[in-house]
Amino acid sequence: MSETNSALTSFTLNGKAETFSPIAGERLSEMLRERSGCRDIKIGCNAGDCGACSVLLDGDVVCACLTPAQQVEGRTVETLNGLHSYDVIAQDLAESFLNHGAAQCGICTPGMIVSAVALLRENKAPNEENVKDALGGVLCRCTGYRKIIDAVLDTTHPAPAEDSGYIGQSIRRLDGQRKVSGLDMFGDDVAPSGTDEIFVIRSPYPTATFTLGDLEQYINNNSSISTILTAKDIPGENTFGVIPDFQDQPVFAEAQTRFRGEAVAAIVAKPEFIRDFDPETFPIIWNEKNAVQSVEAAQASEAPLLHKERSNNQLCGGFVQCGDAERSLKDADFTVEGRFQSGFVEHGYIEPEAGFAEVINGRIEVHACTQAPVMDLEALEIILGMDQSQIRIVPTSVGGGFGSKLDISLQPILALATLKTGKPVRLTYSRTESMQSTTKRHPSDITLKIGANADGKIQGFDFLGLFDTGAYASWGPTVANRVPVHASGPYKISDYRAVSKGIHTNNPPSGAFRGFGVPQSAIAQESLFDVLAKKIGMDALEFRILNALENNQPTVCGQVFSQGVGIKKCLEALRPAWNEQHTLAKRFNTKNDVLKRGVGLASGWYGCGNTSLPNPSTIKCGIRKDGTVVLHQGAMDIGQGANTVITQVFATALGISTSKIELVGADTDITPDAGKTSASRQTFVSGNAARLSGEALRASILQHLNGGVNSKLKFGKGMIEAKDQETVHILDLSRLDADYEGYVLRAEETYDPPTLPLDENGQGSPYAQFGYAAQMVIVEVDTELGTVKPLKFIAAHDVGRAINPVLVEGQIHGGIAQGMGMALMEEYIPGRTENLHDYLIPTVGDIPPIDTIIIEEPDAHGPYGAKGLGEHVLVPTAPAILNAIYNATGARITKVPATPSRVRQAIKVIHDG
Ligand code: FES
Ligand code: FES
């Protein structure tokens, strides 16, 4: 791509005249982002699939990534940031998005609001279908769309009343304003235009040896190239991984690659060179080898070993046993068994991995999207061979993560590039390389046998789960450990055996994805529960209620909770709708031959935090002389709301309104380690650290004032007032000495959940708390086409204490949408579904109404009783849908996604007898 000599192109951008010299082939999105500073236009695919880049061109919504820049000559372009400054409709929508909780990570928000502006300019009172049509081209992976629809339909929804923001209040996201105005800065938004960029050379084969050509010569022939990085450029160790003893993935493969998309080298060059670069010109000779791409192939006796020290290609295993499952199943009145399979699921966050790095005063600074800044720091220490003090991680906003941004991706490449060139560098993965090279949900192959007696009580449970862990370890051991603990579901089962194995293949590494293997095991367990209930002759809901775990009953790990077990309440909350919807479905089905409706349910549980491992979070706070209260909150907010929820907990503990708190986000130089955003731990673990910090700061204030513990605090300019019954104490902050950070009072507290290791039978206390869920769904199946349309979800979730009910609902909606995708449409196939055109995720038109029922069964360990939530919501969704399909058609789907062809085939098998 090169600059042409034609005349300047003139257009109007957000009400102002602009000109630019045209460049052949330049996208409008690129021109606006890089030359006009419109970083409010987001790039999720560069292919017209995601709508993140939506702008208004003469009032019509267009994908700026598909629009040639030169087409704007004489026309008007509007983007979110501009609209927000002058357009009343956009301003109302922005407020409405905040009031409804319609922006989570916010990466889709510009595209959503811009599209909604176009709709509302034409139609002041749209209905739901109009909104779905207008927003149909914009993908959101976080919200489940329902709150976005509400925000567009109801722009006059009042803002929450100004209040303290203490726990229990649905305050607006504290970081929301910049999301709805286009000011939020994600991984690709922080680098200055013109910064050197990076092109990563990746394996085109599942496994191959390779020989690099003369790179020196190649550089000499291309003056735009600053350098080429290979494994030889790594000053430390060419290895990374998220679990100690399982760090097995190279930054750049050496001699042989193990999966399609694996990095072997990276070119650092001027942006123009990178944009036009043809990887076919790169001097490398590939020699494709025989690959193993299924668990069966990888375990065959002649299968090549991916890692020579791991026999049979087995990475890891997990095991939990209590009682005698074999004997119990033999004695059971009824038994059922089945095999259930699932494929790779792609996280599909709208923001691909992106970041920027530079050397400042000899230190490496990496600004990138991440779920785990301190883990990134620790990984770079090993790779760069540098002391941690020489590295700084400054996370950008994160446009969705769902587990995959726990692993490092482009951070070491950025760091190595800036280290070698001494220049700032920038890298954003294309959608395809993001999908090829980052982790996925583990494909599963589960066999399960369950027994029960005639009274409905479960009698024996035997589970074997094989998981395709891909080429490298990533979170495979975590999945292998977590699944046997959870495979029972939240039920009382005395005789239990669960075995899991993680098997290497030449597929992309499987890692963390909302649920860590539990959604896969729940598909098997909850499907067979329905089969078993039917065999016994019991109602599926009553069967579950009968067997539901209660306080003081041991889990399959022998862990006994004396409080906080909320599954029964979740299930019972569904009972009225369950009975009513069955009646309605039956009535519908008597009148319809082709379309059939069914009702299904499933439940789930999820242990919050690491499994039997230390899991600390630290939160720091301080007060400046001028009275400003500062909260150093390092728990990454990837859209789930940690910035808001943790601040609400802290505010409650200290006794100050959230609106008076200055929030300092994650930055490894200035914010203590709040651990990774994973395993539904931030509300629970970092929330507790925030509570302890707030309490400690409050105690410190009261000590200075001699105030009683129940004193009411009032924070003013340079002073704090404590009212203790009728006595008022004043603390003059100007008289206190400020420390190195400018704080006159400070606190820093750590919380680590109490857990116990699992013994050789998986007995112990793996988690300090579990959260619980039960969901039901009504589906309509076209029995000729095999299509499945969910009509409504009802979701009951025990969250212990809802710190912010609107954010709780948002998590539930988003998890259900992802579970629906897993159940019905999503399967990543290397080489075939590597973009958002071939890999389908739910759109706004796919998500039906969702009724949420929030159950608050307080947990003794949770901050003010709160439990984690993020993972739990996805666990029951897929099995509930599969059970509903069975209820509608009599066809039992045992392999997800339940695509129309699979559903049609299963129905055909029944009809053919
Ligand atoms: S970035 Fe333009 S549609 Fe995805
Ligand atoms: S809020 Fe829509 S993608 Fe995150």
Side-chain angles (χ1 to χ4, degrees):
M1 192 158 61
S2 59
E3 207 160 309
T4 66
N5 290 325
S6 51
L8 293 178
T9 299
S10 303
F11 72 115
T12 304
L13 174 61
N14 293 324
K16 297 196 181 101
E18 283 263 325
T19 54
F20 65 96
S21 45
I23 297 175
E26 189 179 31
R27 300 167 191 265
L28 177 59
S29 53
E30 190 184 353
M31 191 281 290
L32 291 173
R33 280 179 55 82
E34 302 305 326
R35 299 211 264 163
S36 294
C38 295
R39 294 278 168 97
D40 52 325
I41 298 166
K42 307 302 178 189
I43 305 300
C45 68
N46 254 340
D49 295 322
C50 75
C53 63
S54 297
V55 299
L56 299 183
L57 183 58
D58 290 342
D60 294 329
V61 181
V62 297
C63 288
C65 75
L66 292 186
T67 306
Q70 289 177 59
Q71 278 192 6
V72 300
E73 170 65 37
R75 301 173 78 180
T76 297
V77 175
E78 294 172 288
T79 73
L80 173 60
N81 191 237
L83 288 163
H84 188 262
S85 68
Y86 61 76
D87 184 285
V88 176
I89 294 175
Q91 290 160 355
D92 287 348
L93 279 164
E95 291 300 299
S96 189
F97 268 55
L98 291 173
N99 296 338
H100 285 275
Q104 288 190 19
C105 81
I107 192 82
C108 71
T109 307
M112 289 290 182
I113 294 184
V114 162
S115 301
V117 167
L119 169 70
L120 296 183
R121 280 178 179 174
E122 293 288 314
N123 181 352
K124 297 218 168 347
N127 59 29
E128 183 167 329
E129 284 314 304
N130 302 145
V131 175
K132 285 180 170 177
D133 285 348
L135 305 186
V138 189
L139 294 176
C140 174
R141 191 57 156 169
C142 302
T143 63
Y145 300 102
R146 296 306 313 183
K147 290 192 177 293
I148 293 175
I149 295 170
D150 292 345
V152 180
L153 284 175
D154 178 19
T155 51
T156 56
H157 190 76
E162 273 290 310
D163 206 340
S164 61
Y166 289 176
I167 59 157
Q169 295 176 17
S170 289
I171 60 168
R172 311 198 314 183
R173 291 185 71 101
L174 297 173
D175 54 7
Q177 195 63 48
R178 61 179 193 256
K179 295 181 188 296
V180 299
S181 58
L183 293 175
D184 212 1
M185 301 286 270
F186 296 86
D188 191 38
D189 300 334
V190 289
S193 294
T195 303
D196 265 12
E197 295 182 13
I198 303 174
F199 190 101
V200 182
I201 305 294
R202 299 183 179 279
S203 175
Y205 303 109
T207 182
T209 55
F210 62 92
T211 310
L212 292 169
D214 187 343
L215 300 184
E216 282 298 317
Q217 187 62 45
Y218 190 74
I219 293 171
N220 289 339
N221 291 346
N222 294 283
S223 60
S224 296
I225 297 180
S226 297
T227 192
I228 295 175
L229 301 167
T230 68
K232 291 202 182 105
D233 293 296
I234 294 174
E237 296 173 34
N238 183 20
T239 186
F240 67 91
V242 287
I243 301 176
D245 300 333
F246 289 95
Q247 289 165 332
D248 59 2
Q249 186 163 357
V251 177
F252 296 115
E254 299 176 45
Q256 181 159 5
T257 59
R258 294 186 175 93
F259 71 97
R260 178 181 158 84
E262 182 163 10
V264 297
I267 301 171
V268 186
K270 294 199 185 325
E272 313 80 70
F273 179 88
I274 296 293
R275 257 168 261 147
D276 289 345
F277 178 66
D278 176 3
E280 291 295 318
T281 65
F282 188 74
I284 186 168
I285 297 168
W286 294 101
N287 181 15
E288 187 180 8
K289 297 288 186 190
N290 288 336
V292 287
Q293 288 193 275
S294 68
V295 164
E296 289 84 0
Q299 291 200 298
S301 56
E302 72 282 5
L305 293 183
L306 272 86
H307 302 267
K308 62 180 183 316
E309 67 283 10
R310 294 174 187 159
S311 58
N312 296 325
N313 282 317
Q314 183 172 334
L315 166 71
C316 55
F319 181 62
V320 170
Q321 174 169 266
C322 64
D324 187 339
E326 199 180 337
R327 194 210 63 229
S328 194
L329 283 165
K330 220 154 91 200
D331 294 345
D333 294 332
F334 301 94
T335 59
V336 293
E337 53 195 309
R339 181 180 180 195
F340 298 85
Q341 294 171 293
S342 66
F344 283 110
V345 186
E346 156 67 23
H347 298 73
Y349 27 74
I350 305 304
E351 180 203 30
E353 292 70 12
F356 163 74
E358 59 185 337
V359 181
I360 302 281
N361 298 328
R363 298 174 77 220
I364 304 284
E365 290 197 2
V366 178
H367 305 250
C369 49
T370 178
Q371 293 179 236
V374 174
M375 284 172 64
D376 293 357
L377 179 70
E378 291 165 352
L380 290 189
E381 179 186 25
I382 294 168
I383 294 162
L384 301 180
M386 290 172 85
D387 192 78
Q388 275 189 22
S389 62
Q390 296 304 299
I391 307 164
R392 180 181 188 184
I393 306 290
V394 189
T396 62
S397 289
V398 183
F402 316 116
S404 190
K405 289 177 183 169
L406 288 166
D407 299 59
I408 56 168
S409 54
L410 44 59
Q411 293 89 340
I413 301 173
L414 283 166
L416 289 164
T418 195
L419 189 64
K420 189 167 175 189
T421 64
K423 295 195 283 187
V425 291
R426 175 182 186 183
L427 173 56
T428 300
Y429 281 1
S430 70
R431 174 55 57 182
T432 294
E433 71 180 331
S434 170
M435 293 179 78
Q436 282 181 348
S437 67
T438 62
T439 61
K440 306 276 166 284
R441 181 183 294 289
H442 283 72
S444 62
D445 187 346
I446 293 169
T447 48
L448 175 61
K449 186 171 183 180
I450 315 176
N453 282 338
D455 63 2
K457 291 275 181 63
I458 294 169
Q459 174 88 2
F461 188 108
D462 193 5
F463 173 102
L464 171 64
L466 303 179
F467 291 86
D468 180 347
T469 204
Y472 295 104
S474 182
W475 296 93
T478 307
V479 167
N481 284 334
R482 190 175 272 272
V483 165
V485 173
H486 287 79
S488 62
Y491 301 101
K492 170 82 179 75
I493 302 177
S494 306
D495 298 297
Y496 177 87
R497 180 183 150 88
V499 178
S500 63
K501 292 180 186 175
I503 309 295
H504 281 302
T505 63
N506 291 117
N507 286 324
S510 300
F513 189 171
R514 216 166 182 174
F516 282 98
V518 182
Q520 294 96 307
S521 68
I523 286 175
Q525 172 259 315
E526 286 291 325
S527 294
L528 276 192
F529 266 32
D530 261 30
V531 180
L532 189 54
K534 188 172 167 59
K535 204 164 180 182
I536 301 168
M538 280 185 76
D539 175 84
L541 175 62
E542 299 306 327
F543 173 75
R544 287 172 171 82
I545 291 173
L546 178 71
N547 286 289
L549 198 67
E550 296 188 72
N551 289 340
N552 301 310
Q553 290 181 339
T555 68
V556 291
C557 293
Q559 187 172 13
V560 178
F561 290 93
S562 61
Q563 49 70 45
V565 180
I567 183 57
K568 208 166 189 172
K569 284 189 182 167
C570 293
L571 287 162
E572 285 171 344
L574 297 183
R575 197 182 261 136
W578 175 252
N579 293 330
E580 184 197 357
Q581 291 297 336
H582 270 289
T583 306
L584 293 173
K586 275 187 197 137
R587 201 176 295 158
F588 178 88
N589 291 343
T590 56
K591 294 185 192 148
N592 291 276
D593 291 332
V594 174
L595 295 180
K596 293 290 178 189
R597 288 189 180 171
V599 187
L601 89 125
S603 61
W605 66 337
Y606 195 83
C608 303
N610 291 355
T611 310
S612 290
L613 285 171
N615 196 14
S617 273
T618 302
I619 296 282
K620 179 169 91 177
C621 55
I623 302 178
R624 297 198 193 107
K625 267 184 194 288
D626 66 1
T628 309
V629 176
V630 183
L631 179 65
H632 292 245
Q633 195 295 93
M636 283 309 301
D637 193 322
I638 58 173
Q640 85 282 29
N643 282 336
T644 307
V645 165
I646 289 169
T647 307
Q648 288 186 264
V649 171
F650 171 77
T652 307
L654 176 59
I656 183 174
S657 165
T658 49
S659 61
K660 296 222 166 90
I661 296 170
E662 185 180 306
L663 201 53
V664 174
D667 177 333
T668 56
D669 268 13
I670 56 175
T671 313
D673 183 9
K676 58 198 187 297
T677 290
S678 88
S680 300
R681 60 179 294 285
Q682 293 298 20
T683 296
F684 167 39
V685 184
S686 297
N688 262 325
R691 175 182 60 82
L692 292 169
S693 288
E695 288 171 356
L697 191 59
R698 179 181 169 85
S700 170
I701 293 166
L702 294 177
Q703 192 184 19
H704 274 81
L705 287 167
N706 268 334
V709 288
N710 295 322
S711 299
K712 196 165 165 19
L713 300 183
K714 198 165 149 196
F715 294 79
K717 219 168 168 39
M719 53 77 77
I720 301 171
E721 178 189 295
K723 192 165 180 200
D724 184 3
Q725 291 175 343
E726 292 314 306
T727 316
V728 174
H729 308 270
I730 304 279
L731 178 59
D732 180 356
L733 297 169
S734 69
R735 290 171 46 204
L736 302 179
D737 292 333
D739 66 13
Y740 68 102
E741 285 184 296
Y743 296 136
V744 291
L745 292 169
R746 64 188 293 131
E748 180 170 323
E749 293 291 330
T750 298
Y751 178 78
D752 193 8
T755 60
L756 289 174
L758 298 174
D759 67 15
E760 69 278 10
N761 283 319
Q763 300 297 294
S765 297
Y767 309 104
Q769 67 164 217
F770 280 81
Y772 303 87
Q775 294 175 2
M776 59 173 276
V777 60
I778 302 99
V779 302
E780 187 171 281
V781 183
D782 184 316
T783 54
E784 288 179 352
L785 298 176
T787 50
V788 178
K789 187 174 172 197
L791 300 177
K792 182 178 187 152
F793 285 93
I794 301 160
H797 283 262
D798 170 25
V799 298
R801 180 75 198 268
I803 304 286
N804 184 317
V806 164
L807 294 184
V808 165
E809 285 174 7
Q811 284 297 293
I812 294 172
H813 291 187
I816 284 177
Q818 289 183 352
M820 209 181 110
M822 180 186 177
L824 296 176
M825 63 186 83
E826 296 185 33
E827 183 165 17
Y828 176 77
I829 302 170
R832 281 177 48 195
T833 58
E834 294 174 339
N835 55 61
L836 292 175
H837 189 69
D838 297 307
Y839 185 92
L840 300 178
I841 66 173
T843 68
V844 67
D846 293 317
I847 308 295
I850 301 169
D851 288 353
T852 54
I853 304 170
I854 296 175
I855 308 284
E856 294 185 307
E857 181 73 18
D859 181 81
H861 294 293
Y864 304 104
K867 299 169 180 170
L869 174 66
E871 329 268 325
H872 312 63
V873 282
L874 194 145
V875 174
T877 309
I881 291 172
L882 299 184
N883 286 337
I885 295 172
Y886 177 83
N887 183 248
T889 65
R892 172 63 60 192
I893 308 297
T894 57
K895 187 170 187 176
V896 292
T899 53
S901 63
R902 284 185 183 144
V903 173
R904 207 171 49 234
Q905 178 62 23
I907 293 170
K908 186 170 176 314
V909 168
I910 301 173
H911 286 173
D912 293 350

